[in-house]
Structure formats: structure tokens, C-alpha cells
């Protein structure tokens, strides 16, 4: 796997398992305080895809994961500003924490991707999600809840296009014309 990058900070070779005939072009990372990545047989992990594990990421057999996908089973930082700063200082001054207790306000839950799932490019999958067998995750989706087997999951995107505040008259006229209105 010359194209892949493996950062197994939790130690032990058993923390990252890659099945037979699987091809990883992305990055696999476990945190110093824990984490596990398990990839089944006949899987593909695309270039620039990153799988970050604090607890456990399990990928079944025959799973195709395109490029630029992010999978995170943890929050990485606290939402509380004081805890977040203390965590950052710990990293800078002492190195990455080696126990979950050194990371207050950080939460994790396993990510499970069942057999025969296709995850298209630019997808983000967050902690605690299970994606059911044979499902397809559409490009650019952000997955925050479970997906039942055999489903297509996509986010509804509603574009908002409006003139810039304080823009030039030309900009405002162009924006209004594009909306079918004229001054």
C-alpha cells in the first residue's frame, strides 16, 4: 500500500486490520488513548480519504469508499472553550493524551459500515453512525444518524443566493438581474 498512510498512535499492530484484497489509498489514524480500524475483504479506500478512530471504526466486506471522505468516531475536541484550550495546551506541552480522562468533553462512539456499502466522494461520517448493508451514501453528504440497509442517503441542499451587503452598484444590478428583476 505505497499510497496509504497509517498513523497507529494507540500502538499494537492489532489496532489496524486490513482484509484480503483490500486497497487503501487514504490515511488511517488511531489516537494515542485508543482507537481501532478494521477493514474487511475486497474494500477500496480512496485517495485523501481519512479514517480517524478514538474508539472503533468497522468497515465490512466489499465496501467502496471514494476519495475525500472523512470518517470520525469521536469529537476530537471539547465544545467547552476552557476544556478545549486545556486539551490543546496538553498536546503542545506534554504530547497527545494517552487516556480518555485527559480529554474532558471529548466523546466517541463506534462507526460501523456494513457489507456492500458505497460511499461516494466528499462524504463526512460522524461518530455513532451505522450504515446498513448495501446502502449508498451520495456525494457530499454529512451522515450524523444511522442509515438502514438498502437505502440511498443524501442531504437536501437548498442554495441561498443573495447580493453582497455593501457591494458595488454593478454587483447589486447583476444580482438583481440574475433574479429576473431590474432596477
Amino acid at each position: 500500500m505505497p499510497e496509504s498512510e497509517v498513523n497507529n498512535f494507540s500502538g499494537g499492530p492489532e489496532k489496524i486490520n486490513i482484509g484480503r484484497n483490500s486497497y487503501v489509498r487514504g490515511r488511517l489514524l488511531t489516537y494515542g488513548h485508543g482507537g481501532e480500524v478494521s477493514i474487511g475483504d475486497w474494500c477500496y479506500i480512496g485517495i485523501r480519504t481519512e479514517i480517524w478512530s478514538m474508539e472503533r471504526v468497522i468497515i465490512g466486506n466489499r465496501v467502496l469508499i471514494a476519495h475525500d471522505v472523512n470518517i470520525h468516531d469521536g469529537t476530537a475536541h471539547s465544545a467547552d472553550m476552557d476544556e478545549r484550550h486545556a486539551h490543546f495546551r496538553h498536546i503542545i506541552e506534554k504530547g497527545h493524551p494517552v487516556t480518555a480522562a485527559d480529554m474532558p468533553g471529548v466523546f466517541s462512539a463506534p462507526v460501523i459500515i456494513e457489507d456492500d456499502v458505497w460511499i461516494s466522494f466528499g462524504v463526512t461520517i460522524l461518530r455513532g453512525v451505522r450504515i446498513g448493508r448495501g446502502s449508498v451514501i451520495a456525494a457530499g453528504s454529512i451522515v450524523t444518524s444511522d442509515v438502514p440497509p438498502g437505502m440511498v442517503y443524501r442531504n437536501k441542499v437548498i442554495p441561498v443566493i443573495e447580493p453582497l451587503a455593501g457591494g458595488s452598484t454593478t454587483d447589486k444590478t447583476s444580482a438583481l438581474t440574475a433574479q429576473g428583476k431590474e432596477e
Side-chain angles (χ1 to χ4, degrees):
M1 293 179 298
E3 297 176 280
S4 65
E5 180 180 341
V6 177
N7 301 118
N8 186 7
F9 299 119
S10 65
E14 73 282 356
K15 298 295 184 178
I16 296 183
N17 294 294
I18 301 170
R20 295 183 329 265
N21 301 304
S22 289
Y23 194 78
V24 178
R25 298 180 72 194
R27 181 178 182 205
L28 310 178
L29 183 140
T30 61
Y31 287 79
H33 70 280
E36 254 178 69
V37 177
S38 177
I39 300 170
D41 298 335
W42 291 101
C43 293
Y44 176 81
I45 311 295
I47 195 163
R48 293 182 309 275
T49 286
E50 297 197 356
I51 300 172
W52 296 67
S53 179
M54 293 184 159
E55 190 168 322
R56 183 171 299 113
V57 175
I58 299 170
I59 298 170
N61 297 314
R62 298 172 307 280
V63 172
L64 302 178
I65 300 177
H67 57 281
D68 297 312
V69 171
N70 276 283
I71 301 172
H72 297 264
D73 70 358
T75 57
H77 300 286
S78 174
D80 178 271
M81 65 182 174
D82 294 328
E83 290 175 343
R84 191 170 52 245
H85 180 67
H87 179 202
F88 171 72
R89 284 194 60 175
H90 188 283
I91 291 169
I92 298 303
E93 295 170 351
K94 301 175 187 172
H96 283 274
V98 293
T99 68
D102 293 330
M103 300 174 21
V106 176
F107 303 100
S108 63
V111 170
I112 300 169
I113 300 169
E114 296 180 359
D115 295 346
D116 302 304
V117 168
W118 171 31
I119 299 169
S120 192
F121 65 90
V123 168
T124 298
I125 299 171
L126 299 178
R127 69 183 169 106
V129 166
R130 175 184 288 267
I131 299 175
R133 184 174 192 268
S135 288
V136 174
I137 310 301
S141 294
I142 300 173
V143 185
T144 60
S145 59
D146 291 352
V147 178
M151 300 300 244
V152 174
Y153 179 101
R154 65 181 177 273
N155 294 126
K156 183 175 183 179
V157 179
I158 302 171
V160 176
I161 302 170
E162 56 189 28
L164 295 171
S168 72
T169 305
T170 304
D171 291 341
K172 289 179 183 175
T173 302
S174 297
L176 290 171
T177 302
Q179 293 176 358
K181 303 174 185 173
E182 294 186 33
E183 288 188 44

PDB file of all heavy atoms in Angstrom, residues 52-80:
ATOM      1  N   TRP A  52     -10.391   8.448  11.117  1.00  0.00           N
ATOM      2  CA  TRP A  52      -9.841   8.810  12.424  1.00  0.00           C
ATOM      3  C   TRP A  52     -10.602   8.038  13.492  1.00  0.00           C
ATOM      4  O   TRP A  52     -11.817   8.173  13.607  1.00  0.00           O
ATOM      5  CB  TRP A  52     -10.039  10.298  12.674  1.00  0.00           C
ATOM      6  CG  TRP A  52      -9.318  11.211  11.745  1.00  0.00           C
ATOM      7  CD1 TRP A  52      -9.535  11.383  10.413  1.00  0.00           C
ATOM      8  CD2 TRP A  52      -8.262  12.108  12.090  1.00  0.00           C
ATOM      9  NE1 TRP A  52      -8.686  12.333   9.907  1.00  0.00           N
ATOM     10  CE2 TRP A  52      -7.887  12.804  10.925  1.00  0.00           C
ATOM     11  CE3 TRP A  52      -7.603  12.400  13.291  1.00  0.00           C
ATOM     12  CZ2 TRP A  52      -6.885  13.755  10.911  1.00  0.00           C
ATOM     13  CZ3 TRP A  52      -6.606  13.355  13.271  1.00  0.00           C
ATOM     14  CH2 TRP A  52      -6.253  14.018  12.096  1.00  0.00           C
ATOM     15  N   SER A  53      -9.878   7.268  14.313  1.00  0.00           N
ATOM     16  CA  SER A  53     -10.557   6.466  15.331  1.00  0.00           C
ATOM     17  C   SER A  53     -10.031   6.738  16.734  1.00  0.00           C
ATOM     18  O   SER A  53      -8.841   6.615  17.004  1.00  0.00           O
ATOM     19  CB  SER A  53     -10.409   4.972  15.023  1.00  0.00           C
ATOM     20  OG  SER A  53     -11.060   4.226  16.027  1.00  0.00           O
ATOM     21  N   MET A  54     -10.981   7.061  17.630  1.00  0.00           N
ATOM     22  CA  MET A  54     -10.726   7.146  19.067  1.00  0.00           C
ATOM     23  C   MET A  54     -11.216   5.884  19.763  1.00  0.00           C
ATOM     24  O   MET A  54     -10.779   5.564  20.849  1.00  0.00           O
ATOM     25  CB  MET A  54     -11.486   8.325  19.685  1.00  0.00           C
ATOM     26  CG  MET A  54     -11.044   9.648  19.264  1.00  0.00           C
ATOM     27  SD  MET A  54     -12.000  10.869  20.190  1.00  0.00           S
ATOM     28  CE  MET A  54     -10.894  12.244  20.011  1.00  0.00           C
ATOM     29  N   GLU A  55     -12.184   5.231  19.140  1.00  0.00           N
ATOM     30  CA  GLU A  55     -12.813   4.053  19.743  1.00  0.00           C
ATOM     31  C   GLU A  55     -12.764   2.878  18.775  1.00  0.00           C
ATOM     32  O   GLU A  55     -11.985   1.959  18.937  1.00  0.00           O
ATOM     33  CB  GLU A  55     -14.248   4.371  20.155  1.00  0.00           C
ATOM     34  CG  GLU A  55     -14.873   3.304  20.998  1.00  0.00           C
ATOM     35  CD  GLU A  55     -16.179   3.767  21.635  1.00  0.00           C
ATOM     36  OE1 GLU A  55     -16.280   4.936  22.044  1.00  0.00           O
ATOM     37  OE2 GLU A  55     -17.093   2.928  21.730  1.00  0.00           O
ATOM     38  N   ARG A  56     -13.624   2.918  17.718  1.00  0.00           N
ATOM     39  CA  ARG A  56     -13.646   1.806  16.767  1.00  0.00           C
ATOM     40  C   ARG A  56     -14.383   2.206  15.485  1.00  0.00           C
ATOM     41  O   ARG A  56     -15.499   2.713  15.543  1.00  0.00           O
ATOM     42  CB  ARG A  56     -14.348   0.600  17.393  1.00  0.00           C
ATOM     43  CG  ARG A  56     -14.362  -0.628  16.522  1.00  0.00           C
ATOM     44  CD  ARG A  56     -14.874  -1.856  17.255  1.00  0.00           C
ATOM     45  NE  ARG A  56     -14.036  -2.171  18.400  1.00  0.00           N
ATOM     46  CZ  ARG A  56     -14.435  -2.072  19.682  1.00  0.00           C
ATOM     47  NH1 ARG A  56     -15.647  -1.708  19.990  1.00  0.00           N
ATOM     48  NH2 ARG A  56     -13.605  -2.382  20.657  1.00  0.00           N
ATOM     49  N   VAL A  57     -13.723   1.947  14.357  1.00  0.00           N
ATOM     50  CA  VAL A  57     -14.352   2.079  13.048  1.00  0.00           C
ATOM     51  C   VAL A  57     -14.276   0.699  12.404  1.00  0.00           C
ATOM     52  O   VAL A  57     -13.180   0.150  12.225  1.00  0.00           O
ATOM     53  CB  VAL A  57     -13.650   3.129  12.156  1.00  0.00           C
ATOM     54  CG1 VAL A  57     -14.268   3.141  10.758  1.00  0.00           C
ATOM     55  CG2 VAL A  57     -13.719   4.514  12.792  1.00  0.00           C
ATOM     56  N   ILE A  58     -15.441   0.145  12.092  1.00  0.00           N
ATOM     57  CA  ILE A  58     -15.514  -1.189  11.495  1.00  0.00           C
ATOM     58  C   ILE A  58     -16.120  -1.043  10.105  1.00  0.00           C
ATOM     59  O   ILE A  58     -17.237  -0.528   9.954  1.00  0.00           O
ATOM     60  CB  ILE A  58     -16.374  -2.139  12.346  1.00  0.00           C
ATOM     61  CG1 ILE A  58     -15.760  -2.284  13.747  1.00  0.00           C
ATOM     62  CG2 ILE A  58     -16.506  -3.499  11.662  1.00  0.00           C
ATOM     63  CD1 ILE A  58     -16.653  -3.007  14.730  1.00  0.00           C
ATOM     64  N   ILE A  59     -15.390  -1.513   9.111  1.00  0.00           N
ATOM     65  CA  ILE A  59     -15.837  -1.464   7.715  1.00  0.00           C
ATOM     66  C   ILE A  59     -15.957  -2.903   7.239  1.00  0.00           C
ATOM     67  O   ILE A  59     -15.000  -3.684   7.330  1.00  0.00           O
ATOM     68  CB  ILE A  59     -14.832  -0.666   6.857  1.00  0.00           C
ATOM     69  CG1 ILE A  59     -14.772   0.783   7.371  1.00  0.00           C
ATOM     70  CG2 ILE A  59     -15.203  -0.735   5.378  1.00  0.00           C
ATOM     71  CD1 ILE A  59     -13.656   1.612   6.773  1.00  0.00           C
ATOM     72  N   GLY A  60     -17.139  -3.266   6.749  1.00  0.00           N
ATOM     73  CA  GLY A  60     -17.410  -4.640   6.326  1.00  0.00           C
ATOM     74  C   GLY A  60     -16.690  -5.025   5.048  1.00  0.00           C
ATOM     75  O   GLY A  60     -15.735  -4.372   4.614  1.00  0.00           O
ATOM     76  N   ASN A  61     -17.170  -6.061   4.401  1.00  0.00           N
ATOM     77  CA  ASN A  61     -16.591  -6.582   3.163  1.00  0.00           C
ATOM     78  C   ASN A  61     -17.195  -5.876   1.941  1.00  0.00           C
ATOM     79  O   ASN A  61     -18.350  -5.459   1.967  1.00  0.00           O
ATOM     80  CB  ASN A  61     -16.847  -8.085   3.054  1.00  0.00           C
ATOM     81  CG  ASN A  61     -16.178  -8.851   4.167  1.00  0.00           C
ATOM     82  OD1 ASN A  61     -15.014  -8.623   4.485  1.00  0.00           O
ATOM     83  ND2 ASN A  61     -16.928  -9.757   4.779  1.00  0.00           N
ATOM     84  N   ARG A  62     -16.395  -5.755   0.904  1.00  0.00           N
ATOM     85  CA  ARG A  62     -16.822  -5.222  -0.402  1.00  0.00           C
ATOM     86  C   ARG A  62     -17.365  -3.795  -0.281  1.00  0.00           C
ATOM     87  O   ARG A  62     -18.293  -3.411  -0.982  1.00  0.00           O
ATOM     88  CB  ARG A  62     -17.840  -6.157  -1.059  1.00  0.00           C
ATOM     89  CG  ARG A  62     -17.286  -7.539  -1.345  1.00  0.00           C
ATOM     90  CD  ARG A  62     -18.347  -8.517  -1.804  1.00  0.00           C
ATOM     91  NE  ARG A  62     -19.495  -8.615  -0.912  1.00  0.00           N
ATOM     92  CZ  ARG A  62     -19.514  -9.329   0.217  1.00  0.00           C
ATOM     93  NH1 ARG A  62     -18.474 -10.031   0.590  1.00  0.00           N
ATOM     94  NH2 ARG A  62     -20.596  -9.341   0.969  1.00  0.00           N
ATOM     95  N   VAL A  63     -16.774  -3.018   0.579  1.00  0.00           N
ATOM     96  CA  VAL A  63     -17.172  -1.619   0.766  1.00  0.00           C
ATOM     97  C   VAL A  63     -16.284  -0.746  -0.114  1.00  0.00           C
ATOM     98  O   VAL A  63     -15.056  -0.890  -0.115  1.00  0.00           O
ATOM     99  CB  VAL A  63     -17.048  -1.206   2.252  1.00  0.00           C
ATOM    100  CG1 VAL A  63     -17.278   0.293   2.416  1.00  0.00           C
ATOM    101  CG2 VAL A  63     -18.033  -2.001   3.098  1.00  0.00           C
ATOM    102  N   LEU A  64     -16.908   0.147  -0.872  1.00  0.00           N
ATOM    103  CA  LEU A  64     -16.172   1.092  -1.714  1.00  0.00           C
ATOM    104  C   LEU A  64     -16.313   2.484  -1.123  1.00  0.00           C
ATOM    105  O   LEU A  64     -17.431   2.984  -0.956  1.00  0.00           O
ATOM    106  CB  LEU A  64     -16.722   1.077  -3.142  1.00  0.00           C
ATOM    107  CG  LEU A  64     -16.689  -0.279  -3.854  1.00  0.00           C
ATOM    108  CD1 LEU A  64     -17.310  -0.157  -5.240  1.00  0.00           C
ATOM    109  CD2 LEU A  64     -15.263  -0.811  -3.939  1.00  0.00           C
ATOM    110  N   ILE A  65     -15.188   3.094  -0.795  1.00  0.00           N
ATOM    111  CA  ILE A  65     -15.170   4.442  -0.237  1.00  0.00           C
ATOM    112  C   ILE A  65     -14.344   5.302  -1.182  1.00  0.00           C
ATOM    113  O   ILE A  65     -13.149   5.062  -1.371  1.00  0.00           O
ATOM    114  CB  ILE A  65     -14.580   4.455   1.194  1.00  0.00           C
ATOM    115  CG1 ILE A  65     -15.428   3.556   2.119  1.00  0.00           C
ATOM    116  CG2 ILE A  65     -14.514   5.874   1.721  1.00  0.00           C
ATOM    117  CD1 ILE A  65     -14.894   3.426   3.529  1.00  0.00           C
ATOM    118  N   ALA A  66     -14.977   6.292  -1.779  1.00  0.00           N
ATOM    119  CA  ALA A  66     -14.339   7.141  -2.786  1.00  0.00           C
ATOM    120  C   ALA A  66     -13.308   8.077  -2.149  1.00  0.00           C
ATOM    121  O   ALA A  66     -12.983   7.974  -0.966  1.00  0.00           O
ATOM    122  CB  ALA A  66     -15.412   7.939  -3.534  1.00  0.00           C
ATOM    123  N   HIS A  67     -12.831   9.025  -2.935  1.00  0.00           N
ATOM    124  CA  HIS A  67     -11.832   9.992  -2.476  1.00  0.00           C
ATOM    125  C   HIS A  67     -12.461  11.098  -1.625  1.00  0.00           C
ATOM    126  O   HIS A  67     -13.657  11.342  -1.689  1.00  0.00           O
ATOM    127  CB  HIS A  67     -11.091  10.602  -3.674  1.00  0.00           C
ATOM    128  CG  HIS A  67     -11.993  11.261  -4.667  1.00  0.00           C
ATOM    129  ND1 HIS A  67     -12.720  10.553  -5.601  1.00  0.00           N
ATOM    130  CD2 HIS A  67     -12.299  12.558  -4.863  1.00  0.00           C
ATOM    131  CE1 HIS A  67     -13.429  11.393  -6.329  1.00  0.00           C
ATOM    132  NE2 HIS A  67     -13.201  12.613  -5.900  1.00  0.00           N
ATOM    133  N   ASP A  68     -11.617  11.718  -0.796  1.00  0.00           N
ATOM    134  CA  ASP A  68     -12.003  12.881   0.015  1.00  0.00           C
ATOM    135  C   ASP A  68     -13.141  12.600   0.992  1.00  0.00           C
ATOM    136  O   ASP A  68     -13.966  13.472   1.257  1.00  0.00           O
ATOM    137  CB  ASP A  68     -12.354  14.075  -0.886  1.00  0.00           C
ATOM    138  CG  ASP A  68     -11.161  14.528  -1.700  1.00  0.00           C
ATOM    139  OD1 ASP A  68     -10.076  14.685  -1.116  1.00  0.00           O
ATOM    140  OD2 ASP A  68     -11.315  14.716  -2.923  1.00  0.00           O
ATOM    141  N   VAL A  69     -13.187  11.400   1.540  1.00  0.00           N
ATOM    142  CA  VAL A  69     -14.179  11.037   2.549  1.00  0.00           C
ATOM    143  C   VAL A  69     -13.518  11.172   3.925  1.00  0.00           C
ATOM    144  O   VAL A  69     -12.333  10.860   4.086  1.00  0.00           O
ATOM    145  CB  VAL A  69     -14.690   9.592   2.332  1.00  0.00           C
ATOM    146  CG1 VAL A  69     -15.554   9.118   3.492  1.00  0.00           C
ATOM    147  CG2 VAL A  69     -15.463   9.504   1.016  1.00  0.00           C
ATOM    148  N   ASN A  70     -14.260  11.659   4.919  1.00  0.00           N
ATOM    149  CA  ASN A  70     -13.785  11.743   6.298  1.00  0.00           C
ATOM    150  C   ASN A  70     -14.701  10.924   7.187  1.00  0.00           C
ATOM    151  O   ASN A  70     -15.921  11.106   7.161  1.00  0.00           O
ATOM    152  CB  ASN A  70     -13.786  13.199   6.784  1.00  0.00           C
ATOM    153  CG  ASN A  70     -12.531  13.918   6.369  1.00  0.00           C
ATOM    154  OD1 ASN A  70     -11.483  13.715   6.962  1.00  0.00           O
ATOM    155  ND2 ASN A  70     -12.639  14.737   5.339  1.00  0.00           N
ATOM    156  N   ILE A  71     -14.106  10.031   7.974  1.00  0.00           N
ATOM    157  CA  ILE A  71     -14.849   9.217   8.928  1.00  0.00           C
ATOM    158  C   ILE A  71     -14.229   9.457  10.303  1.00  0.00           C
ATOM    159  O   ILE A  71     -13.022   9.248  10.481  1.00  0.00           O
ATOM    160  CB  ILE A  71     -14.793   7.719   8.550  1.00  0.00           C
ATOM    161  CG1 ILE A  71     -15.387   7.509   7.153  1.00  0.00           C
ATOM    162  CG2 ILE A  71     -15.520   6.876   9.600  1.00  0.00           C
ATOM    163  CD1 ILE A  71     -15.213   6.108   6.594  1.00  0.00           C
ATOM    164  N   HIS A  72     -15.051   9.912  11.244  1.00  0.00           N
ATOM    165  CA  HIS A  72     -14.580  10.240  12.596  1.00  0.00           C
ATOM    166  C   HIS A  72     -15.503   9.577  13.616  1.00  0.00           C
ATOM    167  O   HIS A  72     -16.697   9.834  13.612  1.00  0.00           O
ATOM    168  CB  HIS A  72     -14.622  11.754  12.835  1.00  0.00           C
ATOM    169  CG  HIS A  72     -13.717  12.531  11.945  1.00  0.00           C
ATOM    170  ND1 HIS A  72     -12.468  12.925  12.330  1.00  0.00           N
ATOM    171  CD2 HIS A  72     -13.891  12.981  10.680  1.00  0.00           C
ATOM    172  CE1 HIS A  72     -11.895  13.603  11.342  1.00  0.00           C
ATOM    173  NE2 HIS A  72     -12.737  13.636  10.333  1.00  0.00           N
ATOM    174  N   ASP A  73     -14.927   8.779  14.506  1.00  0.00           N
ATOM    175  CA  ASP A  73     -15.755   8.181  15.560  1.00  0.00           C
ATOM    176  C   ASP A  73     -15.697   8.979  16.861  1.00  0.00           C
ATOM    177  O   ASP A  73     -16.206   8.543  17.880  1.00  0.00           O
ATOM    178  CB  ASP A  73     -15.384   6.711  15.786  1.00  0.00           C
ATOM    179  CG  ASP A  73     -14.022   6.512  16.432  1.00  0.00           C
ATOM    180  OD1 ASP A  73     -13.309   7.507  16.692  1.00  0.00           O
ATOM    181  OD2 ASP A  73     -13.657   5.345  16.669  1.00  0.00           O
ATOM    182  N   GLY A  74     -15.093  10.160  16.834  1.00  0.00           N
ATOM    183  CA  GLY A  74     -15.005  10.995  18.028  1.00  0.00           C
ATOM    184  C   GLY A  74     -15.123  12.466  17.692  1.00  0.00           C
ATOM    185  O   GLY A  74     -15.071  12.863  16.530  1.00  0.00           O
ATOM    186  N   THR A  75     -15.278  13.270  18.738  1.00  0.00           N
ATOM    187  CA  THR A  75     -15.434  14.711  18.544  1.00  0.00           C
ATOM    188  C   THR A  75     -14.101  15.446  18.436  1.00  0.00           C
ATOM    189  O   THR A  75     -14.070  16.602  18.041  1.00  0.00           O
ATOM    190  CB  THR A  75     -16.250  15.328  19.696  1.00  0.00           C
ATOM    191  OG1 THR A  75     -15.599  15.034  20.935  1.00  0.00           O
ATOM    192  CG2 THR A  75     -17.672  14.801  19.705  1.00  0.00           C
ATOM    193  N   ALA A  76     -13.011  14.823  18.833  1.00  0.00           N
ATOM    194  CA  ALA A  76     -11.652  15.363  18.761  1.00  0.00           C
ATOM    195  C   ALA A  76     -11.377  16.465  19.783  1.00  0.00           C
ATOM    196  O   ALA A  76     -10.292  16.516  20.338  1.00  0.00           O
ATOM    197  CB  ALA A  76     -11.291  15.831  17.362  1.00  0.00           C
ATOM    198  N   HIS A  77     -12.303  17.358  20.002  1.00  0.00           N
ATOM    199  CA  HIS A  77     -12.119  18.449  20.967  1.00  0.00           C
ATOM    200  C   HIS A  77     -13.424  18.698  21.716  1.00  0.00           C
ATOM    201  O   HIS A  77     -14.501  18.416  21.212  1.00  0.00           O
ATOM    202  CB  HIS A  77     -11.695  19.741  20.256  1.00  0.00           C
ATOM    203  CG  HIS A  77     -10.416  19.601  19.507  1.00  0.00           C
ATOM    204  ND1 HIS A  77      -9.185  19.539  20.112  1.00  0.00           N
ATOM    205  CD2 HIS A  77     -10.171  19.477  18.175  1.00  0.00           C
ATOM    206  CE1 HIS A  77      -8.240  19.402  19.205  1.00  0.00           C
ATOM    207  NE2 HIS A  77      -8.812  19.351  18.022  1.00  0.00           N
ATOM    208  N   SER A  78     -13.300  19.290  22.892  1.00  0.00           N
ATOM    209  CA  SER A  78     -14.461  19.646  23.696  1.00  0.00           C
ATOM    210  C   SER A  78     -15.163  20.864  23.100  1.00  0.00           C
ATOM    211  O   SER A  78     -14.521  21.735  22.509  1.00  0.00           O
ATOM    212  CB  SER A  78     -14.015  19.970  25.124  1.00  0.00           C
ATOM    213  OG  SER A  78     -15.098  20.454  25.884  1.00  0.00           O
ATOM    214  N   ALA A  79     -16.466  20.948  23.299  1.00  0.00           N
ATOM    215  CA  ALA A  79     -17.213  22.147  22.905  1.00  0.00           C
ATOM    216  C   ALA A  79     -16.989  23.278  23.910  1.00  0.00           C
ATOM    217  O   ALA A  79     -17.180  24.452  23.586  1.00  0.00           O
ATOM    218  CB  ALA A  79     -18.703  21.829  22.800  1.00  0.00           C
ATOM    219  N   ASP A  80     -16.547  22.937  25.117  1.00  0.00           N
ATOM    220  CA  ASP A  80     -16.272  23.928  26.155  1.00  0.00           C
ATOM    221  C   ASP A  80     -14.918  24.588  25.882  1.00  0.00           C
ATOM    222  O   ASP A  80     -13.901  23.907  25.760  1.00  0.00           O
ATOM    223  CB  ASP A  80     -16.260  23.248  27.522  1.00  0.00           C
ATOM    224  CG  ASP A  80     -15.925  24.206  28.641  1.00  0.00           C
ATOM    225  OD1 ASP A  80     -14.718  24.369  28.947  1.00  0.00           O
ATOM    226  OD2 ASP A  80     -16.861  24.805  29.204  1.00  0.00           O
TER     227      ASP A  80
END
